[in-house]
């Protein structure tokens, strides 16, 4: 990316539309300047400097530039989450957390849905457009598929009893722009809230749906490699599964998803 005047691009209509679509997929949702600005190449007088000697400089997370000034978001999140003694208090603490940039662009804070004392807790990635509008997780097309998948093994978020109920949340409570994946730094700052959420909801089993939940719960991604193998996340048995949104795009993955659902059912029946 260059600073200064952008070079004139000789684009035809179709190339320009393709370029704009690509930018939207990358998460661009607003044009602020006519020319791109390289924020890594600012004059020294404008660059953010590390805090004074002795201050802790956070380590970069997976290549994401670390914040060099201001409070450490992970430490602030951990303190706020630890102070919450029940689910409503946790929801309020997370809603009040101001250090995640996604909050500024989201319409709703999306906390959870379903049966709070259920044996199964589903952890998804982040709200999409429909969830952002409704303020509830998994209400769009992926959510409808999730409900059908759960019904096939006798579980429902509307169930009256914890035995057949599910409790559903996401790693991120705010919609990322353009439905992009949450960054490692965003996942890291929400992880203490998710850990506390699991402790307070206290399910028997967790399902980690997709890469972001596996990153938050297991410190690993590659859902296609992890799926179907029990692991431990937040002190609970956790089953990584592919996300229903992936199954909508890749229906051939439904066979493996069915195997994983049967494994979940079998483990519930054994315990
Ligand atoms: N995908 C998710 O991971 N969560 C939602 O709430 C909706 C879609």
């Amino acid at each position: 990316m260059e600073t200064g005047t952008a070079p004139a691009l000789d684009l035809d209509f179709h190339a320009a539309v393709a370029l704009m679509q690509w930018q939207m997929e990358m998460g661009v949702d607003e044009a602020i300047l006519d020319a791109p600005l390289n924020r890594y190449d600012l004059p020294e007088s404008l660059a953010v400097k590390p805090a004074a000697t002795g201050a802790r400089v956070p380590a970069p997370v997976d290549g994401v530039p670390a914040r060099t000034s201001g409070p450490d978001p992970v430490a602030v999140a951990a303190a706020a989450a630890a102070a919450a003694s029940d689910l409503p208090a946790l929801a309020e603490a997370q809603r009040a957390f101001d250090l995640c940039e996604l909050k500024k662009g989201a319409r709703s804070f999306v906390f959870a849905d379903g049966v709070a004392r259920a044996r199964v807790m589903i952890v998804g990635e982040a709200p999409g457009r429909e969830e952002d509008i409704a303020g509830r997780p998994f209400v769009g097309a992926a959510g409808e598929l999730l409900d059908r998948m759960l019904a096939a093994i006798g579980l429902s978020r509307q169930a009256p009893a914890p035995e057949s109920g599910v409790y559903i949340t996401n790693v991120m409570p705010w919609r990322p722009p353009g439905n992009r994946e949450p960054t490692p730094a965003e996942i890291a700052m929400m992880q203490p809230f998710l850990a506390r959420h699991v402790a307070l909801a206290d399910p028997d089993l967790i399902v980690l749906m997709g890469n972001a939940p596996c990153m938050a719960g297991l410190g690993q991604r590659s859902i296609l490699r992890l799926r179907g193998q029990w692991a431990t996340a937040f002190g609970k048995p956790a089953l990584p599964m592919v996300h229903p949104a992936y199954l909508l795009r890749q229906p051939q993955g439904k066979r493996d998803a069915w195997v994983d659902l049967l494994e979940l059912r079998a483990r519930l029946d054994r315990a």
Side-chain angles (χ1 to χ4, degrees):
M1 197 177 282
E2 292 181 6
T3 56
T5 312
L9 291 177
D10 189 14
L11 295 177
D12 65 18
F13 172 79
H14 298 289
V17 169
L19 184 57
M20 196 170 69
Q21 274 170 348
W22 177 79
Q23 289 185 333
M24 285 165 70
E25 276 165 27
M26 292 296 108
V28 175
D29 59 359
E30 195 179 354
I32 296 172
L33 297 171
D34 287 342
L37 175 64
N38 184 351
R39 293 182 189 279
Y40 293 100
D41 194 24
L42 291 174
E44 207 172 316
S45 58
L46 294 178
V48 179
K49 297 204 178 62
T53 318
R56 193 169 80 79
V57 177
V61 183
D62 277 7
V64 173
R67 289 169 72 100
T68 50
S69 66
D72 174 355
V74 178
V76 173
S85 56
D86 57 21
L87 290 172
L90 182 68
E92 277 323 300
Q94 194 170 14
R95 187 198 295 275
F97 183 78
D98 274 335
L99 300 176
C100 179
E101 288 296 309
L102 297 182
K103 182 175 180 178
K104 296 185 185 148
R107 185 185 303 206
S108 302
F109 168 73
V110 179
F111 185 66
D113 194 20
V115 184
R117 301 186 53 77
R119 294 185 67 198
V120 177
M121 181 166 179
I122 310 262
V123 182
E125 180 172 300
R129 184 174 177 277
E130 283 85 357
E131 291 76 19
D132 189 35
I133 292 170
R136 283 174 52 223
F138 282 103
V139 294
E144 283 170 21
L145 177 56
L146 176 62
D147 284 341
R148 290 202 299 278
M149 290 163 67
L150 294 171
I153 55 165
L155 299 177
S156 160
R157 64 173 113 181
Q158 274 102 30
E163 289 72 34
S164 51
V166 287
Y167 184 61
I168 302 180
T169 190
N170 283 312
V171 176
M172 307 304 303
W174 296 290
R175 181 191 182 201
N179 292 350
R180 67 156 169 77
E181 264 196 48
T183 65
E186 287 161 353
I187 294 173
M189 69 179 82
M190 286 302 118
Q191 206 256 13
F193 289 112
L194 182 58
R196 189 77 184 132
H197 206 154
V198 172
L200 292 171
D202 196 21
D204 292 346
L205 307 174
I206 305 178
V207 177
L208 301 168
M209 285 202 136
N211 276 321
C214 287
M215 200 60 219
L218 308 175
Q220 297 182 61
R221 30 188 303 130
S222 305
I223 186 62
L224 294 179
R225 182 173 51 80
L226 296 171
R227 63 142 281 274
Q229 298 168 55
W230 286 99
T232 303
F234 310 114
K236 304 279 183 188
L239 184 65
M241 284 186 63
V242 295
H243 195 285
Y246 170 86
L247 296 175
L248 290 173
R249 292 192 306 271
Q250 308 279 343
Q252 72 276 17
K254 286 185 182 171
R255 196 159 169 264
D256 284 343
W258 179 238
V259 171
D260 298 345
L261 282 171
L262 292 178
E263 172 55 33
L264 176 64
R265 182 70 258 173
R267 180 115 183 198
L268 281 169
D269 292 342
R270 277 200 302 273

